[in-house]
Amino acid sequence: MDNRIDMVNVDKSFGGVSVLSNVGFSIQPGEVVALLGANGAGKSTLMKILTGVYSRDAGSIKVEGVEVRMSNPREAAALGISFLPQEISVMPDMTVAENICLANMDQFGRGAFVDRAAMRAKATKILGQVGFDHVSPDSYVGHLSVAEQRIVEIARALASDANVLVMDEPTAALSERDAQAMFEVLRNLREDGTSVVYISHYLGEVFEISDRIEVLRDGRNAGSFHTAETDVESVLAAMLGRAAETLFDHRQAPSGGEAAFEAAALGWKDKLSDVSFTVSTGEIFGIFGLVGSGVEYLGRVVFGAEGRNVRGDMRLMGSPYRAISPAHGKACGLGYVTAERKADGILGDLSVAQNLASAFWPEYRNGPFASRHAEAALAQKWIKGFDIRTSGPDQPVRLLSGGNQQKVCVARWLHEGVRLLILEEPTRGVDMGARRDIYRQLAEFAAQGLTVLVLSSDAEEIAGLCDRSLVLNRGRVVQRFGRGADASALLAATALTDPAEVEKELT
Amino acid sequence: MTMANTPTRHAERLRGGFLSGPASGVLILLGFYILLVVAFAIFTPFFATTRNAMSIASNVAFIGMMAAAGTPLIIAGGLDLSVAAVAGLSGVLIALLNAAGWPIWLAVGAALAMGVGVGLANGLLSTTLRLNPLIVTLATMSIVGGAALILTGGLTRPVMQPSFNWIGQGRLAGVPVPAILMLSVYVGLAFVLRATHFGRYVYAVGGNPEAARLIGLPVMRVQMVLYVISAVSGAVAGAMLAAMLGAAAPAAASPHLLTVIAAIILGGTSLAGGRGSVWGTLIAVLILGTLNNGLTLNDVSSFWQDVTRGVVLILAVGVDQVRLHLQAR
């Protein structure tokens, strides 16, 4: 079969720094190709060239065998190439039909007016094509679930006759179950001959959905695999460029430390009820749940980010603790790393050094005054100790890659004033290298007596990192696991609903 | 991974450049100001005289005082539209209380206390109740401005106390006292923003309030303090104006509110919060004051001066956008 897209010997540099050199990439009709690589490997640059956002310095791009040169995303769209960015962009106050037909409004006109019936018909047809016809074209997109919004976005691309979809981390905002629904849509598309380029950090999904895996490393092709004939280890080896070590080091579980944090019958609004667990000093305790299970609230509730209206009792180091506010939580020895790094994690315009110092700012002082010097010394320590890639302590943190920003957000709380560190989705959207560094750093601090609570919807993360864990569903604890739980068991537990029957202590 | 930060490293190198460095906004503004001064000096008789420079300095002091305190507030994500109304009420209170037999400095103290009160009200309403500061301070502006009219019946009241009038009309080593007062506020605020932990909080709170809250920073307290500082600076500015004119008019300050906000924005402070500096504001205040002065000396009508000010503001904000774009690239 002929390739639909053929990129050959593509070069790109920014200000004299080579970002892509001699990169090739191709895709056939009806093929799903996963594009993998650590952050900075060049995968977004390559896709931005394919979708007309950047121009190439050298090399050729052929679409259906014809050499093309695109200077903006519109021209790429005219060739049938559509880009779906990581953040979902839909119009929440417009209907599904309007969203789908938005890019081609001129096709649905009657004079100056909009032909609603034609729009509805087109939307219904496309939704049927992707196997998603249970969504009414008249519902408001703001009322749909995130997964459904993602599918509306795909439908919108198809409405403009896209036959190549480039999707950047399409499941980052989705729970596992919602991701399954989206994969179903992708499978339908594949049947219809649509090509999909799939950029993701989740190896599990890549193996589930892709036909072929293309790996980039440091701006070059680093391996091409037929998904059916390879395994995670080989792909990791290509991405990391060395023998693939596992993400998780073997950890000696702490031997019966004292209870550092106890939660008894914790509840909050209708999102959490009767959640009880105990974490020992130096332990890494995991809370696993899909999005919507309450896993996205528990950490905030404990830390005080959701205010005082928390039911149940908590004890920290043996003394009663009440959730009041983040400032109070911090004063009691809690730390919290948010799931939404960009939205409420980093202080984007402030420097790396100031971000690192921010949680305990008054300690970095010179007499009564703030000390840039002390902040910079702290930053140097972490840049070295945590391998934070930055041009220096004064670089604004927003210019760092996602993984390095996350390291800053974690390191900010690795301070002797913090006894219990709560991390929510600690490695979402973070590359493999940074992921491993973060896991290692947490394990190291836990060994020195830091108690860690990890909340995540990534089953592999909880299974690999945590000493013990529990699974939440609909705001309740549905199962508890000891060390060595595997990811599939955690995932299976999310289907459980009745805690009275299934809750068994496996530790 | 080694490739990961090379583009950003390159961007970092660019930052050293004239147009894209972190302090470049202030530098561009300063360059523009120098050009303006040179141009006026060449084409305008009497412009380049000590006497005229001192006249500019004392004329901008009152607006500069309010703009100084408004800057950290806007950096921290707040906004104070009531500041000029507070200045008006402050002058009126001083005049009326003094006329009623209060010692002049006690009357000034009462005016400052009024400032603290309005600042606390602005702060409480916009932080604890999470009302939009634009609406809150628009409302207090109206209330405070109305109160000044009620108290005076709309009339201008004299204040004649030599020791008091000195803060508006006096000189120290040849420099007008209002200009010295204004400058000391800039130096003080610049020091606080640069060298104290409170200054760090201001930028953190304005740059990302939710992140600052989750880090456990005292977000509300920071904004509260800044609202109080802003209103008190309004009260001080009002006292200065009354001292300068020897009289307090209830609406004396209100027309200058937009100039205050314009100066802050012209100075490179982002209305979205998180960025800005008081030095930028000071240069902007000087630019606007010098422009007024120079155009007046050239017999340009004050109507055209308004138009010019608007054009300068749009130009400045436009240049700033281009600069930020260069920085982000």
Side-chain angles (χ1 to χ4, degrees):
Chain A
M1 207 185 312
D2 283 341
N3 287 337
R4 176 167 279 155
I5 304 272
D6 245 321
M7 301 175 80
V8 184
N9 293 341
V10 173
D11 285 357
K12 177 75 186 174
S13 39
F14 290 110
V17 179
S18 169
V19 181
L20 291 176
S21 63
N22 253 334
V23 174
F25 182 84
S26 63
I27 192 164
Q28 295 178 351
E31 196 180 24
V32 177
V33 177
L35 185 59
L36 295 182
N39 278 2
K43 48 190 197 304
S44 355
T45 309
L46 183 67
M47 286 304 113
K48 282 180 175 165
I49 290 173
L50 178 61
T51 53
V53 179
Y54 294 156
S55 62
R56 59 186 186 270
D57 296 345
S60 83
I61 302 178
K62 286 184 181 163
V63 177
E64 313 282 5
V66 181
E67 175 81 27
V68 293
R69 188 164 275 277
M70 296 158 287
S71 51
N72 61 48
R74 247 191 134 75
E75 290 178 23
L79 292 166
I81 304 168
S82 184
F83 180 67
L84 276 65
Q86 189 172 345
E87 292 79 25
I88 294 178
S89 66
V90 288
M91 312 291 166
D93 294 320
M94 295 174 86
T95 66
V96 170
E98 286 167 338
N99 266 278
I100 290 176
C101 302
L102 201 55
N104 308 82
M105 245 347 160
D106 48 337
Q107 294 172 12
F108 303 97
R110 260 191 309 220
F113 300 99
V114 173
D115 185 347
R116 288 179 180 281
M119 263 175 28
R120 206 176 287 131
K122 174 86 174 175
T124 309
K125 179 168 159 262
I126 290 177
L127 288 171
Q129 192 184 330
V130 298
F132 224 70
D133 36 16
H134 61 276
V135 171
S136 154
D138 295 323
S139 9
Y140 283 94
V141 167
H143 296 165
L144 300 182
S145 74
V146 184
E148 289 166 333
Q149 294 183 0
R150 184 58 99 186
I151 285 155
V152 168
E153 230 183 13
I154 296 174
R156 183 173 63 196
L158 296 177
S160 341
D161 300 319
N163 53 23
V164 178
L165 292 182
V166 180
M167 308 177 83
D168 187 7
E169 293 274 355
T171 57
L174 305 186
S175 69
E176 306 255 2
R177 198 174 293 166
D178 287 344
Q180 287 302 331
M182 202 196 66
F183 292 160
E184 210 40 58
V185 168
L186 291 187
R187 289 190 189 102
N188 287 331
L189 287 177
R190 177 159 56 188
E191 296 295 303
D192 295 343
T194 305
S195 312
V196 178
V197 183
Y198 193 96
I199 303 175
S200 178
H201 285 121
Y202 297 99
L203 286 177
E205 349 180 304
V206 163
F207 275 85
E208 177 166 359
I209 192 69
S210 70
D211 301 312
R212 201 150 55 79
I213 298 174
E214 282 292 338
V215 180
L216 292 186
R217 186 174 75 239
D218 293 346
R220 295 164 189 277
N221 290 95
S224 181
F225 304 89
H226 286 280
T227 310
E229 297 157 15
T230 187
D231 53 25
V232 174
E233 297 297 302
S234 323
V235 172
L236 269 176
M239 286 174 67
L240 300 171
R242 45 198 135 149
E245 299 138 323
T246 46
L247 271 172
F248 307 98
D249 295 335
H250 181 72
R251 234 171 78 70
Q252 198 70 47
S255 47
E258 295 162 37
F261 179 76
E262 298 155 78
L266 219 55
W268 180 71
K269 293 194 176 165
D270 60 348
K271 305 288 186 192
L272 293 170
S273 54
D274 213 15
V275 176
S276 303
F277 59 97
T278 302
V279 191
S280 328
T281 308
E283 192 178 26
I284 302 183
F285 192 90
I287 312 264
F288 174 71
L290 304 180
V291 173
S293 63
V295 73
E296 65 273 52
Y297 300 112
L298 185 56
R300 295 174 58 89
V301 164
V302 169
F303 185 53
E306 297 294 348
R308 298 162 182 262
N309 296 322
V310 178
R311 302 185 296 273
D313 293 307
M314 290 183 273
R315 297 178 78 79
L316 191 66
M317 305 296 156
S319 21
Y321 162 78
R322 282 197 55 207
I324 292 175
S325 69
H328 175 77
K330 180 168 81 174
C332 294
L334 266 56
Y336 170 74
V337 178
T338 169
E340 303 293 336
R341 178 170 59 245
K342 284 220 166 72
D344 56 27
I346 58 168
L347 301 164
D349 286 332
L350 298 195
S351 68
V352 171
Q354 294 191 337
N355 268 275
L356 286 166
S358 57
F360 296 92
W361 240 325
E363 290 182 13
Y364 305 98
R365 57 170 55 243
N366 173 19
F369 303 117
S371 162
R372 284 172 67 86
H373 191 72
E375 287 168 355
L378 173 78
Q380 291 297 359
K381 181 186 108 184
W382 282 121
I383 288 170
K384 211 173 280 169
F386 211 159
D387 195 20
I388 297 172
R389 307 291 175 94
T390 169
S391 65
D394 291 331
Q395 187 176 29
V397 81
R398 72 187 145 83
L399 298 178
L400 268 55
S401 74
N404 287 306
Q405 288 179 351
Q406 187 68 4
K407 286 181 183 179
V408 169
C409 289
V410 174
R412 182 190 273 168
W413 293 105
L414 296 176
H415 177 276
E416 71 261 18
V418 175
R419 315 294 298 277
L420 171 67
L421 180 56
I422 304 166
L423 301 104
E424 201 183 317
E425 306 288 355
T427 60
R428 179 189 279 174
V430 165
D431 64 276
M432 292 294 167
R435 244 177 111 163
R436 188 161 47 199
D437 288 348
I438 289 170
Y439 293 146
R440 226 171 244 173
Q441 200 66 244
L442 290 176
E444 225 164 83
F445 270 79
Q448 291 163 26
L450 177 71
T451 308
V452 181
L453 183 62
V454 177
L455 304 106
S456 176
S457 57
D458 179 343
E460 285 176 70
E461 177 167 273
I462 296 290
L465 178 67
C466 300
D467 299 317
R468 288 185 302 141
S469 54
L470 61 78
V471 178
L472 285 182
N473 189 23
R474 299 184 193 178
R476 291 172 173 274
V477 179
V478 291
Q479 197 163 357
R480 295 171 193 270
F481 291 89
R483 174 113 199 135
D486 68 39
S488 53
L490 289 168
L491 269 171
T494 60
L496 304 171
T497 45
D498 189 352
E501 269 177 40
V502 296
E503 183 169 339
K504 42 193 170 187
E505 193 75 43
L506 295 182
T507 31
Chain B
M1 209 43 219
T2 40
M3 302 295 290
N5 41 26
T6 33
T8 51
R9 221 172 249 159
H10 178 69
E12 203 58 17
R13 253 203 320 274
L14 269 179
R15 288 172 161 267
F18 169 66
L19 266 176
S20 51
S24 61
V26 174
L27 287 181
I28 291 173
L29 219 53
L30 189 61
F32 178 77
Y33 182 54
I34 292 170
L35 278 182
L36 188 73
V37 168
V38 169
F40 275 136
I42 294 173
F43 296 111
T44 314
F46 310 117
F47 177 82
T49 58
T50 315
R51 191 188 152 86
N52 191 47
M54 290 308 148
S55 143
I56 293 176
S58 66
N59 283 334
V60 299
F62 147 76
I63 285 166
M65 178 81 77
M66 293 189 280
T71 304
L73 178 62
I74 290 180
I75 295 173
L79 178 68
D80 185 2
L81 296 181
S82 70
V83 62
V86 168
L89 181 60
S90 163
V92 162
L93 275 182
I94 292 168
L96 291 179
L97 291 175
N98 186 235
W102 289 39
I104 186 72
W105 295 112
L106 194 61
V108 171
L112 296 185
M114 178 275 299
V116 173
V118 175
L120 283 175
N122 284 339
L124 277 174
L125 290 169
S126 39
T127 59
T128 57
L129 294 185
R130 298 187 182 206
L131 299 177
N132 186 329
L134 181 90
I135 297 164
V136 170
T137 59
L138 196 65
T140 49
M141 171 181 97
S142 190
I143 294 168
V144 169
L149 288 169
I150 293 167
L151 288 173
T152 55
L155 301 175
T156 300
R157 302 293 172 130
V159 231
M160 294 296 187
Q161 293 283 346
S163 67
F164 173 71
N165 292 104
W166 180 80
I167 68 165
Q169 301 163 357
R171 300 211 164 201
L172 264 180
V175 183
V177 174
I180 294 174
L181 285 176
M182 174 192 77
L183 254 184
S184 53
V185 170
Y186 277 91
V187 171
L189 286 177
F191 179 79
V192 165
L193 286 183
R194 191 175 173 76
T196 69
H197 294 109
F198 182 83
R200 299 281 197 275
Y201 296 167
V202 168
Y203 285 93
V205 164
N208 191 339
E210 185 55 17
R213 189 179 78 92
L214 290 179
I215 292 169
L217 301 183
V219 176
M220 285 191 188
R221 202 162 66 218
V222 168
Q223 290 188 334
M224 202 71 179
V225 167
L226 293 174
Y227 275 108
V228 171
I229 291 178
S230 174
V232 168
S233 84
V236 172
M240 251 165 44
L241 187 67
M244 197 182 297
L245 303 176
S254 322
H256 301 292
L257 171 69
L258 288 181
T259 313
V260 170
I261 307 284
I264 296 172
I265 296 167
L266 181 60
T269 296
S270 158
L271 266 182
R275 292 179 199 185
S277 79
V278 288
W279 296 126
T281 301
L282 178 63
I283 297 170
V285 164
L286 289 174
I287 287 176
L288 294 176
T290 305
L291 207 56
N292 257 355
N293 172 277
L295 292 176
T296 308
L297 288 179
N298 280 298
D299 282 332
V300 176
S301 99
S302 69
F303 305 149
W304 277 106
Q305 292 180 19
D306 284 350
V307 174
T308 318
R309 195 161 47 216
V311 171
V312 168
L313 188 62
I314 287 176
L315 276 180
V317 175
V319 169
D320 203 45
Q321 276 306 315
V322 172
R323 186 179 64 81
L324 288 179
H325 186 75
L326 285 178
Q327 244 179 41
R329 218 173 43 175

